Amino acid sequence: MVKYILKRLALLIFTLFLVITATFFLMQIMPGTPFNNPKLTPQMIAQLNKAYGLDLPLWQQYLHYLVNAFRGDFGTSFQYQNQSVSMLIGQRLPISAQLGAQALVVGVIAGLLMGAASARNKNNKIDGLLGVVSTLGISVPSFILGIIFLYLFGFKWPLFPVSGWGDSFSQSVLPTLALAVTPAAVVTRFVRSEMIEALSSDYVQLARAKGLSEKEVVNKHAYRNSMIPVLTLIGPMAAGLLTGSTLIENIFSIPGIGQQFVSSIPTKDFPVIMGTTIVYALMLMVMILITDILTAIVDPRVRLQ
Amino acid sequence: MSNPILRVENLHVNFNTYAGTVQAIRDVSFDLNQGETLAIVGESGSGKSVTTKTLMGLNAKNAVIPENSRLLFKDKNLLELSEEEWQHVRGNEIAMIFQDPMTSLDPTMKIGQQIAEPLIKHQELSEKDALARALELMKGVGIPNAEEHINDYPHQWSGGMRQRAVIAIALAADPEILIADEPTTALDVTIQAQILNLMKQLQKQSNSSIIFITHDLGVVAGMADRVAVMYAGKIVEYGTVDEIFFNPQHPYTWGLLNSMPTTDTAEGSLQAIPGTPPDLLEPPLGDAFAPRNSYALAIDSKEEPPFFKISDTHYAATWLLDERAPKVTPPAQILKRWARWEELQGQEA
């Protein structure tokens, strides 16, 4: 197991190297320059280029970036002067991550409960109702839900604050719910179909033939087996949620990383774009690694390979 | 021997589907005696598996069993049990061995624990005691080095070993009736023989009764005391194993025996029964086997044949046994079997 994790970590570093390389050269292809203020004289631009090391040959720039990136230094933002990219990300990522983690926990737990309830009541009213709810949850985008939640619970019945972050936990309730609906719906549908399959499997029949009650059959046999494929779904979902939602952050005025990522693109803030992309990639890979480790814990068949 | 532990009387099982009502079991009655093995034989769709599921109370939700059907076990009618009472019967008084050992064990649970589960449930043993008993059971079903393997997961075992574990699970609570639903169909032939021997040996030890469901007559010969042949949701012929093998009377039984390879039929091709079983959404009038039966009489398509008695233990539902029916000559192979029957009778007399 330890050997397996080490192997995966080595692979992760190699993938990270590929991501850094690809982002670096893609940035070079991008047209335009960050220094497009008409007030800048050519001498000033030359000075800026020198200050940021943009006058060096490309391969030197690349090596520089690569070495620094592995040290955790993604350079200095063009947009916010004197702010290092690592610091910017360090300020904003935890906010997005907290929101995402809350949404993930709420969404996954709701999905597991609703999916199992749906499967156990297959083809009756409860299943039908949950089917409608989960279809709506998947098809209505989170920003529309965000606006609806804002109107209903922030304005019509002012139960929660409508914007801001960090002053009180109640500020995070509405964005968490808005973000949690889609994962909850996806997990519900997935768990439903996995659970239906598990409940009709031979080993569940055998468990019933042992004289176990339906509750024991579901909790001891069906749940664990239907969790295995669900885990593979949750990994990438977690990465997506933890790295922030641009739209939800904008609607609820949350100073998260998603908001900053988008604003850095039109201003051609290359270091911020690259830094954020690399952090996103890293988080996705770490989440997938964690998922695989969890899968190995749940599924003995994976453990031995 | 004549002490039935289980009596099935006029069992009907219907399934309500979108297409209509499927009459899967149509008036089946049989007895199971203490310590005997009854084989139920038939092709796919004949109602074998529905019979077993009904005996375990595990039919799908859309199954409807009319009130005059009775499953008498220890003076109670199983069909009147509540779900909770059923849980006491299942795995405890009546247990089942499943067909496919590759899929019938939970892949995420240790095998020892899976064997211990019915013990914890029915005998209220602690987990530790149940695992100790599970180890004994594993040794009893011939798993080598059981101590080392009690914490294994199913995927670490071969099919034959897994089927031994499935048998251990069924035997855990010392049931009075063991239902074996094609327990060797998914195994290769050498392993089949081992598993069948194991079952016979274990039955001798515990004096339990076995209902053996199969489509393989070769397996039946070595295992069963009595045989019931099912077709289209009905029993068409039943008798002792010798009576079915050497004195078969129903053309469907002839067909089954004819389609089984023997040393006599080493040459040429196997004789299959032509056609397919009828659609049980609308079971045919009369004898359901008539459309596939080259010996069919005119009456077969009009009126259902009753059971004709051949001996105290042997009955068959075919109009050929009616005194008004013309004498037909069965296939050559069956005639050979009949000749062998004469010899056997002669030896006894």
Side-chain angles (χ1 to χ4, degrees), chain A residues 19-298:
Chain A
V19 170
I20 292 172
T21 310
T23 356
F24 181 85
F25 288 103
L26 279 171
M27 287 300 112
Q28 301 302 322
I29 300 168
M30 208 161 122
T33 155
F35 312 120
N36 53 1
N37 191 328
K39 285 180 197 154
L40 292 173
T41 61
Q43 289 96 327
M44 287 165 89
I45 290 177
Q47 231 171 12
L48 279 168
N49 274 337
K50 196 165 180 196
Y52 285 106
L54 300 176
D55 56 341
L56 296 171
L58 201 57
W59 64 271
Q60 274 187 4
Q61 282 186 45
Y62 168 67
L63 280 184
H64 235 112
Y65 189 80
L66 194 62
V67 171
N68 285 335
F70 274 106
R71 283 196 196 135
D73 175 8
F74 300 106
T76 315
S77 164
F78 296 158
Q79 196 186 354
Y80 310 97
Q81 283 177 8
N82 304 323
Q83 286 231 45
S84 77
V85 174
S86 315
M87 221 168 85
L88 275 175
I89 293 174
Q91 279 168 3
R92 286 169 168 255
L93 187 63
I95 297 173
S96 294
Q98 188 199 331
L99 177 61
Q102 285 176 207
L104 186 70
V105 170
V106 172
V108 168
I109 291 176
L112 287 177
L113 293 176
M114 292 198 294
S118 209
R120 291 184 61 180
N121 294 291
K122 194 180 142 196
N123 296 339
N124 75 11
K125 277 179 198 159
I126 296 173
D127 186 25
L129 180 73
L130 288 172
V132 172
V133 169
S134 57
T135 310
L136 278 176
I138 287 175
S139 34
V140 179
S142 62
F143 62 90
I144 292 186
L145 286 168
I147 292 166
I148 294 172
F149 286 169
L150 259 187
Y151 174 74
L152 290 178
F153 306 115
F155 178 71
K156 195 98 192 269
W157 302 290
L159 298 170
F160 300 103
V162 292
S163 71
W165 186 263
D167 306 323
S168 71
F169 177 74
S170 61
Q171 283 176 325
S172 73
V173 172
L174 291 183
T176 300
L177 290 181
L179 261 183
V181 167
T182 311
V186 173
V187 172
T188 299
R189 294 177 70 99
F190 209 76
V191 168
R192 177 184 184 270
S193 68
E194 288 301 327
M195 188 73 111
I196 285 173
E197 203 183 305
L199 284 175
S200 63
S201 69
D202 285 353
Y203 57 81
V204 161
Q205 285 283 329
L206 179 67
R208 289 192 182 122
K210 284 176 181 174
L212 301 186
S213 71
E214 197 58 22
K215 201 172 135 196
E216 288 170 311
V217 169
V218 170
N219 291 342
K220 288 190 183 160
H221 296 280
Y223 238 124
R224 198 182 167 101
N225 279 285
S226 37
M227 273 313 294
I228 296 165
V230 175
L231 272 175
T232 57
L233 177 81
I234 291 174
M237 185 185 269
L241 284 172
L242 296 180
T243 47
S245 156
T246 316
L247 292 161
I248 292 293
E249 282 171 14
N250 269 316
I251 291 170
F252 291 94
S253 315
I254 295 165
I257 197 172
Q259 216 185 25
Q260 177 190 285
F261 187 38
V262 171
S263 71
S264 68
I265 293 169
T267 52
K268 308 266 166 19
D269 197 346
F270 292 146
V272 173
I273 301 175
M274 284 196 285
T276 317
T277 310
I278 291 162
V279 169
Y280 277 11
L282 182 65
M283 288 190 72
L284 180 65
M285 289 187 284
V286 169
M287 282 305 149
I288 291 173
L289 179 61
I290 291 175
T291 314
D292 288 352
I293 293 170
L294 282 178
T295 311
I297 290 170
V298 180

Side-chain angles (χ1 to χ4, degrees), chain A residues 119-124 201-217 220-222 224-225 228 297-305, chain B residues 18 53 56 58 61 83 86-88 90-92 94-98 100 103-109 113-115 117-118 120-122 153 155-156 166 169:
Chain A
R120 291 184 61 180
N121 294 291
K122 194 180 142 196
N123 296 339
N124 75 11
S201 69
D202 285 353
Y203 57 81
V204 161
Q205 285 283 329
L206 179 67
R208 289 192 182 122
K210 284 176 181 174
L212 301 186
S213 71
E214 197 58 22
K215 201 172 135 196
E216 288 170 311
V217 169
K220 288 190 183 160
H221 296 280
R224 198 182 167 101
N225 279 285
I228 296 165
I297 290 170
V298 180
D299 189 348
R301 286 163 294 184
V302 178
R303 219 176 294 165
L304 290 142
Q305 280 161 16
Chain B
Y18 289 115
K53 281 192 177 162
M56 294 294 290
L58 286 174
K61 281 179 194 152
E83 172 56 27
W86 259 121
Q87 282 168 24
H88 178 74
R90 272 184 222 132
N92 188 23
I94 304 181
M96 184 164 172
I97 299 171
F98 282 72
D100 187 353
T103 56
S104 46
L105 292 169
D106 184 338
T108 60
M109 193 187 259
Q113 279 180 332
Q114 299 196 43
I115 300 173
E117 234 178 359
I120 295 168
K121 174 87 183 179
H122 297 300
Y153 287 93
H155 69 275
Q156 293 167 275
V166 171
I169 291 171

Side-chain angles (χ1 to χ4, degrees), chain B residues 293-345:
Chain B
N293 181 3
S294 52
Y295 301 96
L297 307 171
I299 190 169
D300 275 332
S301 52
K302 292 184 193 115
E303 214 171 309
E304 213 172 288
F307 272 113
F308 290 91
K309 181 175 170 178
I310 298 130
S311 76
D312 285 344
T313 49
H314 189 187
Y315 291 81
T318 168
W319 284 118
L320 290 178
L321 293 173
D322 191 276
E323 51 193 16
R324 289 160 291 178
K327 287 278 161 264
V328 297
T329 314
Q333 241 223 71
I334 300 301
L335 283 176
K336 274 189 200 163
R337 287 178 182 272
W338 283 3
R340 177 97 184 94
W341 178 247
E342 296 293 321
E343 276 172 41
L344 285 172
Q345 296 300 99

Side-chain angles (χ1 to χ4, degrees), chain B residues 137-261:
Chain B
L137 284 160
M138 283 168 72
K139 288 176 183 163
V141 296
I143 288 161
N145 304 327
E147 289 89 352
E148 286 167 37
H149 294 296
I150 191 160
N151 286 329
D152 283 359
Y153 287 93
H155 69 275
Q156 293 167 275
W157 286 19
S158 67
M161 285 297 133
R162 289 192 210 185
Q163 194 61 315
R164 287 172 193 266
V166 171
I167 292 173
I169 291 171
L171 293 175
D174 210 0
E176 278 130 290
I177 300 178
L178 201 56
I179 300 173
D181 186 2
E182 311 220 12
T184 56
T185 307
L187 302 172
D188 54 69
V189 183
T190 48
I191 308 295
Q192 265 188 25
Q194 289 177 14
I195 295 290
L196 293 174
N197 283 333
L198 173 69
M199 286 180 63
K200 266 197 277 188
Q201 172 208 330
L202 292 168
Q203 183 186 24
K204 243 182 233 165
Q205 287 167 13
S206 61
N207 196 31
S208 56
S209 314
I210 298 181
I211 297 180
F212 199 95
I213 310 286
T214 184
H215 62 262
D216 184 350
L217 280 168
V219 169
V220 170
M223 280 298 287
D225 301 309
R226 287 194 301 136
V227 182
V229 179
M230 273 191 92
Y231 184 77
K234 280 177 175 296
I235 291 178
V236 294
E237 181 166 6
Y238 63 95
T240 64
V241 68
D242 281 348
E243 283 166 337
I244 296 297
F245 272 83
F246 299 114
N247 191 22
Q249 296 297 327
H250 197 286
Y252 180 63
T253 316
W254 295 349
L256 282 182
L257 287 166
N258 244 353
S259 57
M260 180 177 74

